Amino acid sequence: MGAIVSVLLSLVPPGGHVVATKDSYWEARMFIQNKLSLMGITATFVDMNDMDSLKEVLQNNKVSLFYADSPSNPLLNCLDIRKVSELCHSHGALVFIDSSLASPINQKPLILGADLVLHSATKYISEHHDVVGGCVSGSENLISKIRSCHYDLGSPLVPDAAYMIIRGMKTLHLRVETQNNTALKMAHLLEKHPRVAGDLQATMKFVDSLRLPYIATSFGGCESLVQQPAVMSFWDYSAAERAKIGIKDNMIRFSFGIEKFEDLAADILQALQKL
Ligand SMILES: Cc1ncc(COP(=O)(O)O)c(C=O)c1O
């Protein structure tokens, strides 16, 4: 979050305008809406890939920055980064992509035309659920502006965390490859399973019956995590609000770690049997 705030404060001038996607990181949206507004910065929130709305906002405002999480959390909606970057650049707006959900292995927004890419290093990059940190990459010109603001905010990484991140990054590609394989194989295993359905209560029972994954809201670590957004990250939304944004009562978000696929699959199948 320190990295996101540093980008916004250093690159959006007072009186500027930010466009963000409606399903970008909640804390960042709240910062844009409630804190940047105190500096006379206005914002518009658009649906992911709603190019018509984006075009309209760019035409009617002096937009400094477009900000989106892609893939989004937890629905994994993906932005056409190349198309959005071309459009934003033609109106002089910078494109800032939070790519934390993809990891730096699975998606490279700078190659697709974005100006800045952010990763919560708390997730895949450190990967051991023992560090809180973030990083932003982009041109030297932009990063030097962000760096000075980030020092002002007092949010540099502590040396211990920096050490653990550097060490963790050396095996990032191996871990993400395992996580990708597990997720794909699990999707194939479960897509036609007759018990993958049910209501809020049945889903809670399933989650409570799992023995391997921890019940937690983060993602990207060595240990598998599981969460039911309707009663966890979206617990304070009404049922109608959740339905509007596509968070179903029986939705489960797994973040697979690097345990053996067979062990994870056996655990999920035994929990399904309990329903
Ligand atoms: C997509 C995304 N971006 C940024 C963050 C902020 O990360 P941190 O906890 O490292 O501040 C989160 C946290 O969950 C996230 O999910």
Side-chain angles (χ1 to χ4, degrees):
M1 191 58 199
I4 298 173
V5 170
S6 302
V7 170
L8 293 168
L9 289 180
S10 51
L11 300 180
V12 186
H17 193 93
V18 176
V19 187
T21 45
K22 285 183 186 163
D23 53 2
S24 51
Y25 183 47
W26 186 83
E27 302 278 354
R29 267 187 290 132
M30 290 304 105
F31 180 79
I32 293 170
Q33 202 171 292
N34 302 332
K35 306 275 170 46
L36 286 188
S37 55
L38 302 176
M39 297 168 209
I41 293 171
T42 50
T44 309
F45 297 92
V46 294
D47 285 322
M48 177 96 82
N49 290 317
D50 179 353
M51 296 300 278
D52 291 338
S53 299
L54 178 58
K55 243 180 236 167
E56 203 182 309
V57 184
L58 287 162
Q59 275 159 4
N60 296 332
N61 301 273
K62 175 89 194 75
V63 176
S64 314
L65 188 105
F66 171 85
Y67 162 67
D69 286 17
S70 181
S72 67
N73 186 14
L75 292 172
L76 304 180
N77 290 321
C78 289
L79 188 73
D80 186 335
I81 297 175
R82 198 182 295 278
K83 203 160 146 193
V84 164
S85 299
E86 277 166 17
L87 179 62
C88 288
H89 291 159
S90 68
H91 288 81
L94 294 169
V95 174
F96 174 36
I97 303 294
D98 183 335
S99 195
S100 303
L101 262 283
S103 86
I105 305 295
N106 288 328
Q107 178 172 262
K108 302 190 190 307
L110 297 182
I111 293 177
L112 298 172
D115 300 283
L116 292 160
V117 58
L118 175 124
H119 284 278
S120 162
T122 312
K123 314 296 188 314
Y124 289 97
I125 291 183
S126 63
E127 182 104 26
H128 291 75
H129 298 308
D130 52 8
V131 165
V132 175
C135 57
V136 190
S137 314
S139 69
E140 195 175 344
N141 174 35
L142 291 176
I143 296 298
S144 52
K145 289 183 191 163
I146 297 162
R147 181 176 284 133
S148 73
C149 175
H150 143 87
Y151 287 140
D152 292 343
L153 290 173
S155 61
L157 207 56
V158 295
D160 281 3
Y163 163 74
M164 290 197 279
I165 288 172
I166 289 170
R167 202 163 76 147
M169 268 169 37
K170 292 176 185 168
T171 51
L172 177 66
H173 62 296
L174 299 174
R175 291 183 271 105
V176 173
E177 193 183 324
T178 303
Q179 289 167 304
N180 284 349
N181 286 337
T182 297
L184 185 62
K185 274 162 61 184
M186 206 65 81
H188 288 318
L189 178 75
L190 297 177
E191 66 187 344
K192 293 203 179 76
H193 195 290
R195 295 201 180 185
V196 178
D199 57 13
L200 188 83
Q201 295 301 327
T203 308
M204 286 167 73
K205 187 171 174 201
F206 166 77
V207 170
D208 286 338
S209 305
L210 291 164
R211 294 186 195 130
L212 272 183
Y214 291 95
I215 301 175
T217 56
S218 191
F219 59 87
C222 288
E223 296 101 353
S224 292
L225 303 180
V226 62
Q227 73 132 322
Q228 187 178 357
V231 293
M232 292 177 65
S233 40
F234 291 83
W235 65 271
D236 55 345
Y237 283 55
S238 68
E241 283 169 331
R242 288 199 308 270
K244 199 170 155 205
I245 53 175
I247 305 294
K248 294 187 177 156
D249 284 352
N250 63 0
M251 176 184 190
I252 291 174
R253 194 197 71 178
F254 278 105
S255 165
F256 291 116
I258 56 168
E259 303 92 340
K260 266 180 85 174
F261 169 77
E262 290 74 15
D263 293 344
L264 287 165
D267 189 31
I268 289 174
L269 293 175
Q270 70 76 26
L272 284 171
Q273 283 311 318
K274 299 229 164 86
L275 300 180

